[in-house]
Amino acid sequence: MKFQPKASHFINGEYVEDTSGAPIDVIYPATGEVIARLHSATPAIVDQALNSAKAAQAEWAAMSGTERGRVLRRAADIMRERNRELSIIETHDTGKPLQETLVADATSGADALEYFGGMAASLTGEHIPLGGGDFVYTIREALGVCVGIGAWNYPTQIACWKGAPALACGNTMVFKPSETTPLSALQVAEILIEAGAPKGVYNVIQGYGDVGASLVTDARVAKVSLTGSVPTGRKVYAAAADGMKHVTMELGGKSPMIVFADADIENAVSGAILGNFYSSGQVCSNGTRVFVQKGIKEAFLKRLSERLATAKIGDPLDEEVNFGPMVSENQMNIALGYVEKGKSEGARLVYGGERIEGDGFYMQPTVFADVTDDMAIAREEIFGPVMSVLDFETEEEVLARANDTEFGLAAGVFTNDVTRAHRIVAGFEAGTCYINTYNLAPVEAPFGGSKMSGVGRENSKLAINHFSEMKTVYVSMNDVEAPY
Ligand code: NAD
């Protein structure tokens, strides 16, 4: 098969197979063709991976930050050198157009490896003077073995966004990619070894939810970082709580994007396109509730439709194509099901709405207008290319409606009124906000959600606090005073 890796798992620096695990067929979403067959980890494989990570951790943590950082930065360079090859794998795994994967997957993973690699040498504790000569110093310590569990939309990026800060802090990792997109994390593991990482520092095992669940409850694990849906997040958070483990939860969203009448319409349409149709709409932070102020609604819809008509839908390996298939038949059917719900709830279908016939899992970019707050398409995460356009009149009204959701991942506002932009952002209940742009996630900036969209932050300096803890050391320079 075209993309068959040497084996399903990568443990202690080597590919490892156990064909007694449940089969995982990797399907190329553009054609429906099976391109690789892997196997879910058996309990013996889970055990082997955790032992490998546990055994490697002390040695890795004992290396200097400079040495650890050098490994990560070398891995970043290798990823960039192999960007095209890695992007082709990512496109086959996810169906995302090569035009996207060339600039948003291995490159984003490399950014994380470079950023946290650069930071590794400067991770320190602090000195706290207490008066009278006494002082406290803090030691920043690794947590131990960290588990990363990934979603299928950005497999390389997720593998690196979790792995890079974890490793920079001196932790080791067992990463379980989504069963839908298992290929690229193996590449990340190989590259880290090539870059000089000691064996066992970064292990990859495949599997369905049960494998993820067995990792979360294992006593050898100190921290779990999940990217996935809210229902999975709830289960993983609860399971991790039992062992008082650290968690980072990067979960789903139903984010608002507000377009005021004074906004630059062309930019707002661009933001709405990026925030609804990039990666065929399979992005957690998408602004799928687009609130457009009355007065510009029809102009906005007209420009949106005109520009959507120029999307190049087709073979994701053709670099001219900028809208590919959805990741799986199942995900496509979920999105098409929401199109039917939208129609039956009385929303006005403005664009698309159909499956594109063929073997691949393609559907048209879809826009509904006249959507009301109570409709399922306005309340539930669809995770597909379905945009809901809602009307609003006043700032106060739209902010309350934008926040009226259990989710809080992202939120955006388009306006040329600078004070209003900051007022709106101050009122947003969301972890990541955008003014006059949408869906950027550079490694330098914290990324994560509020409310049901998650806990913790990835990227930026903040990620370090989620992969390390402080030991406080009290030092007395004086005699010890005791009451008796
Ligand atoms: P999912 O929740 O179905 O699965 C996520 C991962 O969790 C998979 O690897 C799966 O095998 C594993 N899993 C499932 N049940 C488990 C359990 N009980 N214990 C441990 N692991 C378990 O999500 P998905 O369909 O792969 O991805 C789509 C979802 O991910 C969407 O909701 C999307 O919004 C979210 N997402 C969030 C972000 C973010 O950064 N906030 C990024 C991408 C995707």
Side-chain angles (χ1 to χ4, degrees):
M1 271 181 272
K2 234 176 174 173
F3 287 89
Q4 187 66 34
K6 285 184 205 131
S8 299
H9 319 290
F10 194 93
I11 300 173
N12 206 29
E14 288 170 7
Y15 275 99
V16 178
E17 190 55 274
D18 181 350
T19 52
S20 64
I24 297 175
D25 282 347
V26 188
I27 294 169
Y28 180 35
T31 61
E33 177 195 357
V34 177
I35 54 168
R37 169 165 281 198
L38 280 68
H39 293 272
S40 185
T42 55
I45 289 285
V46 173
D47 195 48
Q48 208 179 321
L50 288 169
N51 281 341
S52 148
K54 185 89 189 157
Q57 201 260 317
E59 185 203 337
W60 177 244
M63 283 166 64
S64 73
T66 306
E67 289 171 309
R68 285 199 303 274
R70 194 176 297 136
V71 170
L72 299 183
R73 285 185 294 104
R74 265 197 225 119
D77 291 344
I78 299 171
M79 284 193 84
R80 290 212 180 87
E81 280 158 26
R82 300 213 190 126
N83 183 33
R84 178 161 286 271
E85 179 197 328
L86 295 168
S87 302
I88 288 172
I89 295 174
E90 191 82 324
T91 287
H92 280 86
D93 224 359
T94 61
K96 294 192 292 180
L98 195 54
Q99 191 190 92
E100 285 188 19
T101 54
L102 281 169
V103 298
D105 292 278
T107 52
S108 161
D111 284 354
L113 289 162
E114 184 173 6
Y115 179 85
F116 290 107
M119 202 181 264
S122 56
L123 300 178
T124 57
E126 61 180 341
H127 172 268
I128 305 162
L130 295 173
D134 288 2
F135 62 95
V136 158
Y137 67 93
T138 57
I139 306 173
R140 186 179 289 280
E141 293 189 335
L143 301 174
V145 175
C146 299
V147 160
I149 300 176
W152 42 256
N153 57 344
Y154 282 83
T156 309
Q157 183 186 87
I158 294 170
C160 295
W161 280 19
K162 298 190 188 308
L167 268 51
C169 292
N171 304 284
T172 55
M173 177 159 272
V174 175
F175 185 79
K176 189 202 84 64
S178 163
E179 57 273 32
T180 311
T181 54
L183 298 179
S184 45
L186 293 169
Q187 302 293 318
V188 174
E190 265 194 66
I191 286 171
L192 280 161
I193 287 288
E194 202 178 319
K199 292 175 179 179
V201 162
Y202 188 87
N203 309 274
V204 173
I205 62 171
Q206 309 296 344
Y208 297 94
D210 60 327
V211 173
S214 71
L215 287 170
V216 174
T217 49
D218 194 282
R220 284 163 287 193
V221 173
K223 148 123 204 177
V224 180
S225 177
L226 169 80
T227 297
S229 60
V230 170
T232 303
R234 265 206 192 98
K235 283 188 222 161
V236 171
Y237 201 172
D242 207 38
M244 209 58 81
K245 298 180 200 298
H246 297 248
V247 293
T248 299
M249 295 282 145
E250 288 293 346
L251 309 177
K254 187 76 193 175
S255 302
M257 180 187 297
I258 303 175
V259 182
F260 282 94
D262 67 357
D264 179 309
I265 291 216
E266 233 22 60
N267 279 338
V269 169
S270 297
I273 288 173
L274 286 178
N276 281 272
F277 302 118
Y278 199 72
S279 301
S280 294
Q282 302 163 118
V283 180
C284 53
S285 48
N286 271 355
T288 46
R289 291 184 292 139
V290 182
F291 292 91
V292 180
Q293 198 163 26
K294 272 196 179 144
I296 59 159
K297 175 177 146 187
E298 292 310 325
F300 177 88
L301 290 173
K302 180 168 174 285
R303 267 314 276 152
L304 181 64
S305 300
E306 283 165 4
R307 289 181 54 184
L308 285 177
T310 69
K312 290 205 167 58
I313 306 176
D315 175 2
L317 292 169
D318 174 350
E319 280 180 57
E320 295 295 309
V321 164
N322 48 29
F323 187 92
M326 301 196 59
V327 76
S328 64
E329 187 166 19
N330 182 44
Q331 197 59 31
M332 176 187 71
N333 287 334
I334 290 172
L336 288 170
Y338 275 103
V339 173
E340 290 314 308
K341 274 189 203 165
K343 285 185 201 163
S344 66
E345 285 178 316
R348 167 162 64 107
L349 183 63
V350 173
Y351 196 90
E354 300 288 330
R355 175 173 185 179
I356 299 171
E357 287 313 320
D359 294 330
F361 314 130
Y362 287 88
M363 68 175 278
Q364 296 173 323
T366 299
V367 179
F368 280 105
D370 304 339
V371 177
T372 53
D373 296 347
D374 54 333
M375 292 181 185
I377 55 170
R379 301 214 69 78
E380 296 167 21
E381 184 183 45
I382 300 175
F383 223 60
V386 183
M387 180 197 294
S388 292
V389 177
L390 304 97
D391 307 340
F392 79 93
E393 288 185 37
T394 70
E395 183 180 320
E396 200 183 15
E397 165 216 340
V398 76
L399 186 59
R401 289 170 61 201
N403 286 335
D404 183 18
T405 167
E406 60 169 353
F407 299 108
L409 189 53
V413 57
F414 282 83
T415 177
N416 276 331
D417 178 339
V418 72
T419 50
R420 172 157 62 197
H422 293 290
R423 230 177 10 249
I424 289 280
V425 162
F428 273 149
E429 295 169 1
T432 308
C433 297
Y434 300 96
I435 297 175
N436 291 335
T437 187
Y438 206 83
N439 254 1
L440 305 173
V443 69
E444 297 87 346
F447 183 83
S450 308
K451 293 156 82 175
M452 293 303 285
S453 293
V455 269
R457 292 292 179 267
E458 295 200 296
N459 289 340
S460 80
K461 285 177 257 178
L462 289 186
I464 296 301
N465 287 334
H466 296 291
F467 280 104
S468 59
E469 62 186 355
M470 288 300 190
K471 178 181 277 173
T472 301
V473 184
Y474 193 109
V475 181
S476 172
M477 303 292 282
N478 299 289
D479 290 336
V480 179
E481 279 180 33
Y484 50 85

